[in-house]
């Protein structure tokens, strides 16, 4: 059984590449699907637009950058959590600052974890390892009534 | 000769009703009319000192054309009457405590007939003087009251205007401050996100390069890579510290009664963990409670204790003391160490941003910590200062006003 993919919503291609490398570096072999913003991430999750033909199941974990064009991570999180089909998916927020004022809001909306994109890349790999091993290696979804 | 008492009575009551006349001119006209009935009398009237053109003058003339008028200093229109000595003219001075007010003047045609009325007329003049003086005083009082009222009204209006303008200015300033704060907020946001992103990328790619191509890299390239990563890390710390500094300036103070012993412990514990291998002789006093923002005060202790640990790193027997003393209306807290110290000559800008007294290669740090300490303490109404000597150690002090205490 193939590993379920990781969905990464990230508008900055360099951040996306570094995150993918960090995931690889932490030993995760899951395929990473990159969505350029929240709108595209939801299209992927709901099999809409260019993801109509998506074969694989729901991602093992969704990584959301907080600051994105069109639809930011907070709004995406809100929509995921209010969609019965999606609300049980683990979501991890990516933020470039620990001082992110919206982090509290994310927790109130049921985010599972957050990772500060550190300047030190090794720290980032460690952080990704921690969250990645926790969810991405699981092939089962957390219990859900949806 | 018989005196017409009835006439005298009329004149007395007339004088007593003088106060109802709006002006002295009207009073003079009235007296003139009455005096027409006095036997032997041709005319009567009031002549006021310095009144210029007189009215109802006994002589029937106006001062300006009167041979008895003496011009007084102060202008061609001011005269005093020199008529009293003249034949046929009786001028009774209207004497008041403030001086001669004017004259009650009668032109007498028949001295013999008039003679018996003379004492009455003198008395009448005295009564007249009293009534007129009263009127004058009343008028002055009324004018003073009116002027006072007017001034009060004016001042009230001025004050209202001033208060309004002050309010407008305060509102204006507040709006500007809010605007500046919002701009600063946006700036901090931009610093944390937009400045950090390229830095993160540089670090990340340098790291990837090192990881994936390490085998083929010459030693020199590895060195360059390490330097690159170190610079990125340093820049990251600087940005974070600057963000912190900007936050301590803006964050709302959450004042409460603070147990300094607990705050110091909370600041010290993580530092002890991070310096687990170090042997330091700690001397920590028992502190009084203060009033302040607990999180900010913890940051003060963290900065000062971290500095003390850093600058005693090379001391064979490191000793760090955290204490306090009472000085007048203040508590003075301090952290003293026996580390490398510094030359007080260069300590002037010690609490400024990016001020360092030691080479970065020797002791790490961004030079923002003490600026942060100063900002926090000054927001608490206290002061910060330092004492030090090279190779003998340093002491950093901060004061907190006692009246800010949250304890009785």
């Amino acid at each position: 059984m193939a590993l379920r993919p990781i969905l990464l919503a990230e508008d900055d291609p360099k951040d996306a590449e570094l995150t993918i490398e960090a995931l690889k570096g932490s030993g995760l072999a899951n395929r990473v699907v990159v969505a350029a913003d929240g709108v595209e991430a939801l299209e992927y999750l709901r099999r809409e637009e260019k993801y109509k033909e998506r074969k694989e199941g729901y991602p093992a974990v969704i990584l959301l950058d907080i600051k994105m064009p069109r639809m930011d991570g907070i709004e995406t999180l809100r929509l995921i959590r209010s969609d019965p089909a999606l609300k049980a998916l683990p979501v991890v927020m990516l933020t470039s600052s620990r001082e992110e004022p919206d982090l509290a809001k994310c927790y109130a909306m049921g985010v599972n974890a957050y990772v500060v994109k550190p300047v030190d890349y090794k720290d980032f790999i460690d952080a990704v390892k921690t969250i990645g091993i926790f969810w991405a290696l699981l092939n089962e979804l957390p219990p859900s009534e949806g | 000769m018989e005196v017409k008492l009835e006439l005298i009575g009329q004149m007395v009551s007339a004088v007593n009703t003088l106060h109802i006349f709006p002006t002295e001119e009207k009073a003079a006209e009235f007296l003139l009319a009455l005096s027409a009935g006095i036997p032997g009398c041709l005319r009567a009237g009031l002549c006021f000192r310095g009144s210029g053109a007189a009215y109802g003058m006994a002589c029937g003339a106006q001062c300006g054309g009167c041979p008895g008028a003496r011009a007084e200093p102060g202008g061609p229109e001011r005269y005093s009457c020199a008529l009293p000595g003249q034949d046929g003219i009786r001028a009774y001075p209207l004497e008041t405590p403030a001086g001669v007010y004017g004259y009650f003047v009668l032109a007498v045609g028949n001295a013999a007939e008039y003679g018996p009325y003379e004492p009455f007329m003198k008395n009448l003049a005295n009564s007249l003087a009293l009534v007129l003086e009263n009127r004058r005083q009343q008028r002055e009082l009324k004018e003073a009251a009116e002027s006072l009222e007017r001034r009060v009204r004016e001042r009230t209006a001025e004050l209202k205007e001033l208060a309004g303008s002050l309010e407008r200015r305060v509102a204006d300033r507040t709006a500007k401050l809010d605007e500046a704060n919002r701009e600063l907020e946006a700036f901090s946001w931009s610093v944390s996100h937009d400045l950090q992103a390229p830095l993160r990328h540089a670090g990340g790619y340098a790291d990837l390069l090192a990881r994936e191509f390490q085998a083929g890299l010459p030693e020199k390239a590895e060195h360059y890579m390490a330097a690159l990563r170190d610079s990125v890390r340093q820049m990251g710390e600087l940005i974070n510290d600057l963000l912190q500094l900007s936050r301590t300036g803006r964050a709302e103070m959450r004042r409460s009664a603070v147990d300094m012993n607990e705050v110091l412990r909370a600041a010290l514990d993580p530092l002890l963990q991070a310096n687990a291998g170090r042997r330091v002789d700690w001397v920590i006093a028992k502190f009084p409670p203060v009033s302040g923002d607990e999180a900010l005060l913890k940051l003060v202790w963290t900065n000062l204790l971290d500095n003390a640990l850093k600058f005693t790193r090379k001391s064979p027997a490191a000793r760090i003391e955290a204490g306090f003393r009472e000085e007048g209306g203040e508590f003075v807290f301090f952290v003293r160490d026996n580390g490398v110290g510094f030359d007080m000559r260069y300590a002037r800008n010690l609490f400024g941003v990016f001020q360092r007294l030691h080479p970065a290669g020797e002791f790490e740090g961004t030079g923002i910590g003490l600026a942060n300490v100063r900002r926090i303490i000054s927001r608490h109404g206290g002061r910060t200062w330092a004492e030090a000597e090279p190779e003998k150690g340093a002491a950093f002090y901060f004061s907190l006003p006692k009246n800010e205490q949250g304890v009785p």
Side-chain angles (χ1 to χ4, degrees):
Chain A
M1 186 175 171
L3 287 172
R4 293 191 296 126
I6 293 169
L7 174 61
L8 169 64
E10 169 67 78
D11 61 307
D12 185 325
K14 284 181 186 155
D15 268 332
E17 186 182 357
L18 287 169
T19 305
I20 291 169
E21 291 300 331
L23 288 166
K24 269 194 224 156
S26 66
L28 293 173
N30 306 54
R31 190 166 77 86
V32 179
V33 178
V34 180
D37 55 34
V39 175
E40 199 187 324
L42 283 170
E43 283 169 1
Y44 175 83
L45 291 170
R46 291 169 176 163
R47 287 204 170 89
E48 291 166 357
E49 301 295 324
K50 65 171 173 169
Y51 297 107
K52 270 198 180 109
E53 306 301 318
R54 166 165 72 86
K55 295 280 188 306
E56 67 269 22
Y58 284 125
V61 59
I62 303 166
L63 307 181
L64 291 179
D65 185 22
I66 286 195
K67 196 186 172 200
M68 287 186 292
R70 284 212 292 176
M71 185 190 291
D72 66 13
I74 311 264
E75 178 62 9
T76 315
L77 172 66
R78 194 183 66 75
L79 291 174
I80 289 173
R81 285 292 178 253
S82 57
D83 185 330
L86 308 175
K87 67 177 180 188
L89 293 173
V91 176
V92 175
M93 302 307 284
L94 298 175
T95 166
S96 44
S97 164
R98 202 174 292 283
E99 299 308 325
E100 178 61 59
D102 290 328
L103 273 182
K105 216 191 281 177
C106 292
Y107 272 94
M109 290 191 324
V111 80
N112 297 83
Y114 79 94
V115 176
V116 178
K117 300 175 191 168
V119 171
D120 192 315
Y121 193 62
K122 277 201 201 75
D123 291 350
F124 191 45
I125 291 184
D126 288 345
V128 169
K129 240 183 215 167
T130 317
I131 56 144
I133 286 170
F134 197 77
W135 280 290
L137 293 183
L138 290 174
N139 268 313
E140 271 173 58
L141 280 176
S144 148
E145 65 268 32
Chain B
M1 197 169 289
E2 204 179 314
V3 170
K4 290 182 181 167
L5 282 173
E6 196 190 337
L7 183 63
I8 302 292
Q10 271 177 16
M11 291 198 72
V12 168
S13 45
V15 166
N16 285 337
T17 58
L18 259 184
H19 65 274
I20 64 170
F21 287 93
T23 61
E24 269 85 1
E25 278 129 313
K26 293 286 175 200
E29 277 170 25
F30 182 68
L31 275 174
L32 186 71
L34 272 179
S35 306
I38 298 175
C41 210
L42 299 176
R43 305 180 68 107
L46 293 173
C47 176
F48 299 111
R49 275 180 77 93
S51 61
Y55 26 80
M57 281 286 293
C59 55
Q62 295 212 323
C63 286
C66 178
R70 271 199 306 259
E72 283 196 346
E77 295 300 316
R78 298 175 71 85
Y79 301 93
S80 63
C81 193
L83 287 176
Q86 223 167 290
D87 280 352
I89 294 289
R90 303 288 188 278
Y92 306 107
L94 304 173
E95 284 185 295
T96 69
V100 175
Y101 190 79
Y103 294 88
F104 178 40
V105 190
L106 295 166
V108 176
N110 185 336
E113 236 182 313
Y114 173 72
Y117 291 94
E118 179 99 43
F120 295 110
M121 290 302 131
K122 275 184 183 163
N123 279 334
L124 203 62
N126 287 340
S127 302
L128 201 54
L130 266 175
V131 171
L132 290 172
E133 172 65 7
N134 256 340
R135 274 184 61 124
R136 191 184 61 77
Q137 282 180 1
Q138 271 171 14
R139 198 172 53 235
E140 273 181 17
L141 263 174
K142 201 173 154 211
E143 275 168 12
E146 271 168 10
S147 128
L148 204 69
E149 226 170 277
R150 206 168 40 247
R151 277 172 60 195
V152 166
R153 265 200 310 275
E154 279 168 16
R155 290 312 282 277
T156 308
E158 271 170 36
L159 272 172
K160 257 189 202 158
E161 170 63 26
L162 204 67
S165 120
L166 250 172
E167 233 165 86
R168 270 195 305 282
R169 277 172 61 194
V170 166
D172 206 45
R173 283 319 245 322
T174 310
K176 273 186 190 146
L177 258 174
D178 281 350
E179 175 62 24
N181 257 339
R182 268 195 300 279
E183 269 171 28
L184 208 63
E185 204 98 36
F187 174 74
S188 299
W189 176 262
S190 146
V191 166
S192 68
H193 285 80
D194 303 345
L195 285 189
Q196 274 185 338
L199 194 64
R200 190 168 62 236
H201 300 157
Y205 284 110
D207 211 75
L208 276 181
L209 200 60
R211 290 161 81 85
E212 291 185 21
F213 302 100
Q214 198 149 28
L217 283 180
E219 202 176 311
K220 219 170 179 187
E222 262 180 56
H223 164 69
Y224 294 161
M225 212 73 83
L228 185 60
R229 289 212 301 267
D230 194 51
S231 292
V232 167
R233 184 193 50 74
Q234 211 179 323
M235 181 75 178
E237 274 174 25
L238 275 171
I239 290 177
N240 275 333
D241 284 4
L242 270 180
L243 277 175
Q244 170 115 59
L245 183 69
S246 115
R247 254 197 331 278
T248 53
R250 285 176 297 128
E252 209 172 301
M253 291 258 290
R254 278 188 289 257
R255 238 179 224 290
S256 63
V258 174
D259 182 341
M260 274 299 221
N261 302 294
E262 277 177 24
V263 175
L264 180 131
R265 188 40 69 182
L268 186 56
D269 279 346
L271 294 176
L272 289 180
Q273 275 173 27
N275 292 274
R278 294 271 309 275
R279 273 199 57 183
V280 177
D281 183 10
W282 291 95
V283 182
I284 295 174
K286 178 135 175 50
F287 296 117
V290 296
S291 154
D293 185 307
E294 194 166 322
L296 292 180
L297 289 176
K298 183 184 157 198
L299 202 58
V300 168
W301 284 116
T302 299
N303 272 305
L304 296 182
L305 293 169
D306 191 35
N307 270 354
L309 274 165
K310 186 160 59 180
F311 294 111
T312 52
R313 196 189 296 147
K314 294 172 182 170
S315 313
R319 183 178 188 279
I320 300 174
E321 183 187 358
F324 87 102
R325 60 174 187 250
E326 289 185 60
E327 258 181 35
E330 293 180 323
F331 283 124
V332 174
F333 296 88
F334 61 86
V335 173
R336 184 181 293 138
D337 66 60
N338 62 348
V340 291
F342 54 85
D343 193 328
M344 286 297 283
R345 275 181 299 172
Y346 308 118
R348 202 161 49 89
N349 292 322
L350 197 57
F351 289 89
V353 178
F354 295 135
Q355 296 299 320
R356 300 176 49 94
L357 292 173
H358 301 279
E362 209 172 326
F363 293 103
E364 70 288 351
T366 53
I368 297 176
L370 286 179
N372 226 337
V373 166
R374 168 155 291 180
R375 191 170 281 193
I376 291 169
I377 294 304
S378 82
R379 290 195 68 188
H380 279 80
R383 299 166 297 124
T384 38
W385 67 99
E387 288 166 6
E389 215 179 308
E391 301 311 322
K392 292 208 169 150
F396 288 86
Y397 299 85
F398 65 93
S399 69
L400 292 174
K402 255 194 210 168
N403 57 3
E404 301 285 344
Q405 266 181 278
V407 288

